[in-house]
């Protein structure tokens, strides 16, 4: 693909006047501002442009030229063909309301829209349809036989994917309809900072579309009465005037704030200036020293173009944001302000920090001109040269969309770490190198004195200590651009004081999976990948505080304990890398707040909800063990366990955090108890209805052994050595998994419904048998049968019913599906403390009830077979049990195309060898953990051929999907076996000498 700038030097367009129909979404003014730049160039070339939009007409007429030569070339037509996002305020989107509004706006009247728009396009004799980014416009153009071009950095199918996760799968048809509409588009003109957009057939990249300046910095300041040397911040939250009660003390002395979008009735302090509604924002930005606002295309592109430091506040539920944020961070142009600090006016530290930024974008900003030339060429039939990698990019984008649709409600909006562009592109910027490099670690811990514990030869622990030793603030500054998390971590600890480090691995679910909350036996392998957490406690008067935290403390006038947390790896997702809170936020007078209140507290800002996994351990210790925390706490979390892969990333964070805190505060908690406490964090503070096997494996597992545990509630049966002749691998499907997702929760509800039905049926049968006069073999037989029914009537764990009892007595009466309302009317409740029944929803019951009963039997059989003789028959039998488990997951609704493909590839490999008369190397595979994507566990011989076939499967999966699966291979000790490290930096080290 030639450089975008070359398009501007293409042959001149034909002289005949062309007619363009420009469909523009009504969501936000950012779309309008970039559309205006394109329209400006089309009109300047003498073409006629008809704009169909819900954006007010004055937005166009105020900015476009009114020269005699342009008269009659611009036509504005009011049309509402999509709704964008329904926002409750400038920072908050209502996902369900947005989907319902789109259904009302674009789905219900669809046939009428198609007919009306086709007639309109015909009536104006349109040569080309342009869409930013109205889906139905592409379909209408195809129906009429007119080419269409989309312009944008995102498409609504990807944005709405986030809303589907939050609002329910029954709205997915909206996403598929939008994607189908986009597929009719001839070309997508893709802007920098773009999201995955797999629906488009052809893609051409164009430069930033940016509005030019009309006045100089001095002219603007003179008109507003602002001195040249005054510091100015422009307050820009788009077309969403929020009516915030702005206060004078929120600004540093001598600063002025220019407020965009203020309502006529809004009062502002003397150091705030309300700009007129028709004020030209680029001029205001160029006259300012920094900008405070939300990230959208308009604000991001113009901040980059004018090298204006951008202080941003994250928005809820908008998938566009992390890609634009990466673009800003790539050019060192932004810092984040937490929503809490924004709403409470703690602005000063961020404003002062913004002045130290040096934005460095030097790319082209003539996207409007380039786009207009491409539109002219397309209208007359010239083919634009597009990206030769389009096919591979679309496959990769499709995987990301599938990944997004498997997200959990309220979790971070993640950019997968494998979604990166070529070295010459900047969209979803190439992902930063892993903080923990793989270079030699021989001297990584020389800077530290180890006062307790051992490294146990673990390379990742050595790498973690190396990353600590590199947190030298002066060196970080001298090395240029550094991730925000590294800068925050460099001032997190007092290096002269002791700190405590714990480590907890992820786990590979070999057998058992979702049977854990039904009491099943499970077999789990702790993985090589693990999470490290460092904790330091300090008296509140001695704790090092970040500038924003210090500012809040000074305003509050107290020295109460504060918790500060840094999470490494946040650059891979749309979450804040830092979190801080007062310990008193977890207190209600003299006792801990309820789990419900804590869940609400952490949900206030979705970009910081991740902190619930860390700070939630503090609340659980306060609540369950009555621990009194009076010291401040600094916590650094660094995890190598990838998120969303079904290998217990959350459990490893919880277990490592609680183990480190326990070490720092001298709490003696048994490994089993620690795992149960961590499960409470996930169930009650985070709100994910997981079983306990993840936390138990992370806490109690041992390297190269399967943890055999009966989940009633958590009894370790034994540690089973893996026979030398066999081996387990994990392969990631690339589809994001989370136990907080709707599918997992609905299957759990269905399972508990089935248990309640069985208990009620057993109670009825016991009552009937006790009064029945039917002849029986003996009174003893009758009594035993009644006692068995009574036992099943008080059933606590579904897995305690043998398969033969289920099939003989209960199976026929368990319905395939039941509505929540019907179940509640007949049975009252399902007696599960961590899920709730939605009366309006239908639940699968038969498959979720059957699965754990048979899974428990499969796991027990699997465990017994591990001790059998080393033969292909043994491995084939083990593999068959894994396959049965996999397809039972699918029957429950917890499968995915990606995991099915991986399992099928293993089966093909196995059968290929058998058809040649050779002994197979791979024998079984199954989906793991909570299902609905994530990883697959593969079992085979411990030999070179197996490893070669695993690599072949990875490559075949990549060829089919565009995604190369991550391979999980190896094991490591659980948190209990690792213990903890107590370290202190040696006095001669650079940090200690600062």
């Amino acid at each position: 693909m030639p450089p975008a700038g070359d398009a501007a030097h293409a042959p001149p367009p034909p002289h005949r006047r062309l007619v363009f129909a420009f469909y523009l979404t009504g969501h936000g003014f950012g779309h309008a501002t970039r559309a205006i730049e394109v329209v400006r160039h089309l009109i300047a070339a003498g073409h006629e442009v008809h704009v169909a939009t819900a954006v007010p007409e004055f937005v166009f007429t105020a900015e476009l030229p009114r020269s005699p030569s342009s008269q009659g070339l611009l036509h504005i037509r009011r049309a509402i063909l999509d709704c964008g996002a329904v926002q409750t305020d400038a920072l908050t989107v209502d996902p369900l309301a947005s989907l319902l509004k789109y259904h009302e706006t674009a789905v219900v009247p669809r046939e009428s829209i198609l007919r009306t728009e086709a007639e309109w396009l015909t009536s104006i004799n349109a040569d080309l349809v342009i869409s930013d980014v109205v889906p139905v416009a592409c379909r209408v153009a195809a129906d009429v036989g007119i080419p269409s071009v989309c312009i944008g950095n995102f498409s609504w199918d990807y944005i709405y994917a986030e809303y589907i996760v939050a609002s329910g799968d029954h709205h997915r048809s909206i996403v598929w309809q939008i994607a189908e509409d986009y597929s009719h588009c001839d070309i997508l003109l893709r802007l920098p900072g773009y999201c995955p957009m797999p629906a488009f057939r052809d893609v051409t990249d164009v430069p930033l579309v940016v509005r030019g300046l009309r006045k100089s910095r001095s002219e603007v300041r003179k008109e507003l009465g602002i001195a040249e040397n005054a510091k100015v911040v422009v307050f820009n939250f788009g077309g969403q005037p929020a009516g915030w009660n702005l206060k004078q003390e929120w600004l540093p002395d001598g600063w002025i704030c220019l407020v965009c979008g203020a309502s006529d009735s809004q009062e502002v302090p003397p150091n705030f200036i309300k700009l007129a509604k028709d004020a030209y924002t680029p001029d205001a930005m160029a006259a300012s020293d920094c900008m405070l606002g939300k990230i959208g295309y308009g604000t991001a592109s113009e901040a980059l173009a004018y090298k204006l430091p951008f202080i941003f506040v994250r928005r809820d539920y908008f998938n566009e944001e992390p890609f634009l944020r990466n673009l800003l961070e790539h050019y060192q142009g932004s810092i984040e302000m937490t929503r809490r600090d924004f709403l409470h006016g703690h602005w000063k530290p961020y404003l002062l920090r913004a002045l130290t930024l040096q934005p460095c974008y030097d790319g082209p900003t003539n996207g409007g001109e380039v786009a207009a030339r491409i539109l002219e060429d397309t209208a007359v039939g010239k083919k634009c040269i597009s990206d030769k990698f389009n096919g591979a990019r679309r496959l990769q984008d499709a995987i990301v969309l599938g990944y997004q649709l498997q997200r959990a409600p309220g979790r971070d909006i993640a950019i997968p770490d494998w979604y990166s562009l070529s070295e010459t592109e900047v969209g979803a910027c190439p992902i930063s190198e892993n903080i923990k490099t793989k270079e030699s670690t021989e001297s990584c811990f020389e800077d530290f004195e180890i006062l307790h514990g051992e490294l146990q030869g673990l390379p990742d622990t050595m790498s973690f200590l190396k990353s600590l030793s590199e947190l030298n603030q002066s060196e970080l500054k001298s090395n240029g651009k550094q991730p925000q998390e590294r800068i925050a971590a460099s001032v997190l600890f007092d290096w002269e004081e002791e700190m405590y480090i714990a480590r907890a691995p992820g786990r590979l679910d070999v057998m058992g999976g979702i049977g854990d909350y039904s009491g099943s036996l499970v077999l789990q392998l702790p993985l090589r990948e693990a999470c490290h957490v460092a904790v330091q406690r300090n008296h509140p008067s001695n704790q090092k505080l970040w500038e924003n935290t210090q500012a809040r403390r000074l305003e509050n006038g107290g020295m109460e304990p504060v918790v500060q947390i840094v999470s490494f790896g946040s650059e891979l997702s749309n979450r804040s890398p830092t979190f801080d809170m007062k310990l008193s936020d977890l207190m209600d007078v003299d006792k801990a707040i309820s789990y419900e209140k804590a869940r609400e507290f952490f949900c206030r800002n979705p970009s910081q909800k991740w902190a619930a996994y860390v700070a939630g351990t503090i609340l659980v210790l306060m609540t369950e063990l009555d621990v009194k925390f009076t010291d401040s706490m600094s916590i650094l979390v660094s995890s190598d366990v990838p998120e969303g892969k079904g290998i217990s990333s959350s459990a490893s964070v919880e277990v490592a955090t609680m183990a480190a805190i326990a070490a720092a505060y001298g709490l003696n908690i048994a490994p089993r108890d620690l795992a149960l406490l961590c499960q409470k964090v996930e169930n009650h503070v985070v709100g994910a209805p997981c079983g306990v096997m993840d936390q138990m494996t992370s806490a109690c597992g041992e390297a190269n052994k399967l943890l055999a545990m009966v989940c009633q509630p958590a009894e370790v049966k034994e540690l089973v050595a893996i026979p030398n002749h066999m081996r387990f691998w994990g392969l990631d499907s690339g589809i994001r998994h989370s136990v907080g997702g709707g599918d997992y929760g609905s299957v759990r509800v269905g399972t508990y419904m089935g248990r309640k039905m069985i208990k009620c049926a057993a109670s009825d049968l016991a009552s009937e048998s006790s009064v029945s006069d039917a002849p029986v073999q003996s009174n003893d037989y009758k009594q035993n049968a009644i006692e068995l029914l009574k036992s099943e009537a008080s059933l606590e764990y579904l897995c305690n019913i043998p398969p033969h009892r289920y099939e003989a007595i209960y199976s026929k009466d368990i319905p395939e599906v039941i509505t929540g309302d019907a179940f509640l009317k007949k049975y009252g409740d399902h007696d599960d403390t961590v899920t709730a029944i939605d009366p309006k929803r239908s639940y699968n019951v038969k498959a979720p009830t059957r699965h754990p009963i048979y899974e428990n039997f499969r796991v027990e059989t699997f465990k017994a077979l591990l001790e059998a003789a080393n033969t292909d028959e043994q491995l084939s039998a083990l593999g068959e049990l894994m396959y049965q488990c996999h397809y039972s997951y699918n029957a429950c609704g917890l499968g995915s195309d990606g995991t099915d493909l991986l399992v099928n590839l293993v089966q093909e490999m196995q059968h290929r060898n058998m058809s040649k008369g050779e002994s197979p190397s791979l024998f079984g595979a199954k989906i793991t953990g909570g299902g609905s994507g994530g990883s697959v566990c593969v079992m085979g011989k411990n030999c070179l051929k197996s490893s070669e076939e695993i690599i072949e499967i990875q490559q075949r999966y990549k060829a089919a999907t565009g995604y190369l699966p991550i391979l999980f291979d190896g094991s490591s000790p659980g948190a209990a076996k690792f213990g903890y490290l107590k370290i202190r930096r040696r006095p001669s080290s650079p940090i200690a000498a600062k």
Side-chain angles (χ1 to χ4, degrees):
M1 186 178 70
D6 292 352
H9 300 95
H15 294 294
R16 78 175 179 90
R17 175 178 292 185
L18 299 170
V19 178
F20 295 94
F22 202 140
Y23 287 90
L24 178 64
T25 184
H27 178 81
F29 286 175
H31 296 263
T33 57
R34 69 190 184 201
I36 286 169
E37 284 304 302
V38 177
V39 171
R40 185 194 311 279
H41 288 282
L42 293 175
I43 291 176
H47 302 305
E48 188 175 338
V49 182
H50 295 255
V51 180
T53 183
V55 175
E57 184 174 347
F58 77 84
V59 175
F60 291 87
T61 56
E63 295 205 21
L64 289 170
R66 300 178 182 177
S67 63
S69 62
S70 66
Q71 291 299 313
L73 296 183
L74 175 65
H75 308 272
I76 308 296
R77 167 179 166 248
R78 182 167 176 79
I80 303 176
L81 304 178
D82 67 350
C83 67
V86 177
Q87 296 185 221
T88 56
D89 59 43
L91 297 175
T92 308
V93 169
D94 186 329
L96 180 58
S98 298
L99 294 170
L100 294 176
K101 184 68 173 178
Y102 187 86
H103 184 266
E104 174 189 330
T105 304
V107 178
V108 173
R110 182 175 174 83
E111 292 306 317
S112 173
I113 290 173
L114 291 172
R115 183 172 57 254
T116 301
E117 297 310 309
E119 293 173 355
W120 179 66
L121 290 176
T122 303
S123 71
I124 65 172
N125 295 315
D127 293 292
L128 182 72
V129 168
I130 311 167
S131 178
D132 183 0
V133 268
V134 180
V136 73
C138 305
R139 170 61 188 274
V140 175
D143 288 348
V144 179
I146 300 173
S148 62
V149 176
C150 280
I151 301 176
N153 62 300
F154 72 81
S155 53
W156 287 111
D157 49 343
Y158 189 71
I159 301 301
Y160 286 160
E162 166 78 358
Y163 305 171
I164 298 295
V165 171
S167 303
D169 290 350
H170 50 288
H171 292 291
R172 282 197 184 203
S173 60
I174 289 176
V175 167
W176 306 142
Q177 181 64 71
I178 290 173
E180 182 183 344
D181 284 346
Y182 284 140
S183 70
H184 293 287
C185 174
D186 292 87
I187 305 172
L188 166 68
L189 301 185
R190 190 172 58 181
L191 297 168
Y194 56 81
C195 302
M197 292 183 274
F200 294 96
R201 292 177 292 170
D202 209 351
V203 176
T204 296
D205 288 299
V206 296
L208 285 176
V209 177
V210 177
R211 293 178 290 177
L213 297 179
R214 297 176 181 174
K215 299 177 182 178
S216 68
R217 173 186 175 95
S218 297
E219 288 174 328
V220 174
R221 288 192 168 219
K222 184 176 181 180
E223 288 180 3
L224 295 173
I226 301 173
E228 279 294 322
N229 61 348
K231 297 300 180 186
V232 177
V233 56
V234 59
F235 184 89
N236 187 3
F237 281 84
Q240 289 283 333
W244 285 302
N245 183 23
L246 304 171
K247 297 182 180 179
Q248 182 173 352
E249 62 268 23
W250 290 4
L251 299 177
D253 292 340
W255 278 65
I256 299 293
C257 180
L258 306 180
V259 183
C260 302
S263 62
D264 293 335
S265 60
Q266 184 174 355
E267 298 291 333
V268 297
N271 52 349
F272 287 73
I273 299 175
K274 283 200 302 183
L275 296 178
K277 285 198 172 183
D278 61 351
Y280 191 57
T281 308
D283 288 350
M285 293 172 63
S288 301
D289 297 286
C290 61
M291 177 168 62
L292 172 58
K294 64 181 181 181
I295 295 179
Y297 179 82
T299 53
S301 62
E302 290 174 351
L304 286 170
Y306 300 120
K307 293 183 171 57
L308 184 68
F310 191 167
I311 306 164
F312 67 88
V313 183
R314 295 186 195 226
R315 290 182 288 176
D316 300 347
Y317 297 115
F318 214 69
N319 292 2
E320 172 194 23
E321 184 173 288
F323 296 88
L324 290 171
R325 177 176 60 81
N326 277 9
L327 184 68
L328 288 165
E329 291 182 353
H330 182 81
Y331 293 109
Q332 304 177 47
S334 67
I335 59 172
E336 178 187 359
M337 179 185 290
T338 68
R339 184 178 302 188
R340 181 175 57 176
D341 283 341
F342 171 69
L343 295 176
H344 289 85
H346 301 295
W347 296 6
K348 296 178 184 178
Y350 301 97
L351 295 173
L352 298 175
R353 173 79 178 95
L355 297 182
T356 68
L357 297 180
Q358 296 180 331
C360 58
Y361 181 77
D362 58 357
T365 59
N366 63 333
E369 177 187 355
V370 172
R373 181 59 56 85
I374 294 173
L375 293 173
E376 290 177 301
D377 289 347
T378 306
V380 296
K382 289 186 178 180
K383 177 65 176 174
C384 176
I385 300 175
S386 60
D387 185 350
K388 66 180 180 180
F389 299 112
N390 270 335
R393 171 61 69 195
R394 286 182 66 233
L395 283 171
Q396 196 170 14
D397 282 0
I399 287 287
V400 178
L401 182 58
Y403 174 104
Q404 188 65 30
L405 284 167
Q406 297 294 345
R407 280 191 57 253
R411 292 291 297 277
D412 55 278
I413 305 171
I415 304 174
D417 50 4
W418 47 268
Y419 184 78
S420 59
L421 307 179
S422 69
E423 292 180 359
T424 60
E425 293 180 282
V426 178
C429 297
I431 301 302
S432 304
E433 294 182 8
N434 194 315
I435 290 169
K436 292 166 281 299
T437 59
K438 304 301 181 183
E439 61 193 65
S440 172
T441 56
E442 291 181 2
S443 61
C444 70
F445 51 91
E446 290 180 355
D447 289 339
F448 294 102
E449 181 182 2
I450 298 179
L451 306 174
H452 175 88
E454 297 178 0
L455 298 175
Q456 300 184 28
L458 293 166
D460 62 338
T461 302
M462 297 179 187
S463 294
F464 179 68
L465 289 180
K466 180 176 176 61
S467 72
L468 287 179
S469 70
E470 292 173 345
L471 291 178
N472 184 321
Q473 192 176 18
S474 60
E475 289 182 6
L476 285 174
K477 290 181 179 179
S478 65
N479 289 336
K481 180 179 182 290
Q482 291 289 337
Q484 183 182 348
E485 61 196 32
R486 297 276 288 167
I487 296 171
S490 70
V491 293
L492 183 65
F493 298 114
D494 183 341
W495 296 104
E496 297 180 0
E497 299 297 328
E498 300 163 351
M499 64 178 67
Y500 296 79
I501 297 171
R503 176 191 184 278
R507 66 95 187 94
L508 183 64
D509 168 35
V510 174
M511 289 292 288
I514 57 171
D516 61 346
Y517 55 74
S518 295
S520 177
L521 174 69
V522 298
L523 295 171
Q524 307 295 308
L525 178 67
L527 287 172
R528 178 180 58 190
E529 290 76 13
C531 173
H532 287 82
V533 173
V535 170
Q536 186 177 75
R537 52 185 291 194
N538 290 100
H539 188 275
S541 62
N542 296 329
Q543 186 186 25
K544 291 190 172 183
L545 296 176
W546 299 316
E547 291 177 358
N548 57 307
T549 313
Q550 181 68 40
R552 283 200 300 270
R553 173 182 277 185
L554 291 175
E555 290 186 12
N556 294 333
M559 294 296 292
E560 58 184 310
V562 172
V563 178
Q564 293 186 141
I565 307 171
V566 174
S567 172
F568 278 172
S570 62
E571 76 274 11
L572 304 183
S573 64
N574 188 38
R575 68 165 185 255
S576 300
T578 63
F579 177 85
D580 67 283
M581 63 182 294
K582 298 176 294 184
L583 269 175
S584 60
D585 289 334
L586 298 178
M587 297 294 294
D588 186 359
V589 189
D590 58 348
K591 64 178 182 179
I593 61 174
S594 68
Y595 289 142
E596 182 179 1
K597 286 185 178 180
R599 192 158 58 248
E600 292 174 357
F601 175 82
F602 289 110
C603 285
R604 289 174 188 169
N605 184 351
S607 70
Q608 292 189 316
K609 190 182 176 184
W610 61 267
Y613 294 92
V614 183
T617 62
I618 300 172
L619 178 64
V620 168
L621 290 170
M622 293 165 63
T623 303
E624 305 298 332
L625 300 185
D626 197 29
V627 179
K628 308 295 184 185
F629 293 102
T630 57
D631 285 339
S632 289
M633 206 180 307
S634 298
I635 304 175
L636 174 62
V637 180
S638 178
S639 182
D640 290 329
V641 186
E643 298 176 17
K645 310 300 184 187
I647 57 171
S648 300
S649 60
S650 60
S652 64
V653 170
E654 293 155 356
V655 170
T657 302
M658 189 172 286
I661 291 174
Y665 285 84
L667 307 176
N668 186 16
I669 306 174
R672 175 186 179 275
D673 295 337
L674 187 138
L676 289 169
L677 291 170
C678 289
Q679 184 194 17
K680 289 183 182 293
V681 176
E682 188 132 6
N683 287 171
H684 301 304
V685 182
V686 177
C690 72
V692 73
M693 70 177 191
D694 298 356
Q695 289 81 5
M696 283 292 291
T697 308
S698 192
C700 306
E702 292 189 17
N704 300 310
K705 293 182 180 179
L706 298 177
L707 183 78
M709 181 182 69
V710 178
C711 302
Q712 300 188 15
E715 308 303 329
V716 176
K717 197 168 184 180
E718 61 183 297
L719 291 162
V720 181
I722 300 173
N724 291 332
H725 66 279
M726 61 188 303
R727 189 171 174 182
F728 295 99
W729 299 266
L731 286 173
D732 162 44
S733 68
I735 297 174
R736 191 173 182 82
H737 150 86
S738 172
V739 296
D743 289 340
Y744 178 92
S746 65
V747 170
R748 176 164 176 154
V749 170
T751 304
Y752 275 83
M753 284 178 165
R755 187 190 71 163
K756 185 65 173 280
M757 292 175 181
I758 288 173
K759 291 175 68 174
C760 291
S763 180
D764 292 343
L765 289 170
S767 298
E768 292 171 9
S769 298
S770 63
V771 298
S772 172
D773 293 330
V776 293
Q777 293 177 347
S778 69
N779 287 333
D780 287 343
Y781 179 88
K782 179 178 180 179
Q783 186 60 38
N784 289 337
I786 293 173
E787 290 301 320
L788 184 55
L789 288 169
K790 287 181 177 180
S791 173
E792 290 166 352
S794 59
L795 185 71
E796 185 174 3
Y797 295 102
L798 190 55
C799 286
N800 288 342
I801 295 182
H804 74 272
R805 283 289 292 176
Y806 171 73
E807 295 294 348
I809 309 297
Y810 304 109
S811 175
K812 62 183 181 299
D813 296 321
I814 303 295
E816 293 285 347
V817 179
I818 191 171
T819 65
D821 185 57
F823 179 86
L824 292 170
K825 287 179 180 177
K826 185 172 182 179
Y827 296 99
D829 194 13
H830 65 331
D831 301 328
D832 181 18
T833 59
V834 296
T835 59
I837 296 174
D838 182 352
K840 298 179 181 179
R841 183 169 185 174
S842 293
Y843 293 93
N844 291 329
V845 179
K846 198 174 192 75
T849 301
R850 188 178 190 274
H851 175 83
I853 294 171
Y854 277 84
E855 181 69 0
N856 187 54
F857 174 76
R858 285 189 288 261
V859 182
E860 289 178 340
T861 306
F862 194 99
K863 179 175 176 294
L865 279 170
L866 286 173
E867 300 176 359
N870 173 11
T871 63
D872 281 5
E873 288 75 15
Q874 177 216 24
L875 296 174
S876 294
L878 290 168
E880 176 61 26
L881 293 169
M882 296 179 76
Y883 291 139
Q884 288 182 20
C885 172
H886 177 79
Y887 293 111
S888 185
Y889 262 78
N890 283 359
C892 291
L894 293 176
S896 75
D897 292 342
T899 50
D900 280 350
L901 176 55
L902 286 170
V903 171
N904 290 341
L905 289 172
V906 172
Q907 291 172 344
E908 288 178 20
M909 204 75 70
Q910 180 181 1
H911 297 149
R912 182 181 71 183
N913 289 333
M914 294 173 64
S915 67
K916 295 178 181 178
E918 300 174 358
S919 174
S921 296
L922 303 179
F923 287 85
K926 61 175 280 288
I927 196 170
T928 65
S932 296
S935 298
V936 162
C937 176
V938 182
M939 184 272 297
K941 290 181 179 177
N942 186 12
C943 63
L944 178 61
K945 185 179 179 183
S946 294
S947 298
E948 292 172 344
E949 291 183 348
I950 289 289
I951 294 172
E952 182 180 342
I953 289 171
Q954 286 178 285
Q955 294 300 325
R956 289 179 63 185
Y957 189 85
K958 181 183 179 182
T961 67
Y963 171 66
L964 181 67
I966 297 172
L967 175 64
F968 301 107
D969 184 12
S971 183
S972 67
K977 198 71 174 177
F978 178 83
Y980 68 90
L981 297 178
K982 180 180 177 182
I983 67 171
R984 183 172 53 211
R985 185 170 286 277
R986 298 181 188 278
S988 59
S989 66
I991 293 181
K994 275 198 314 180

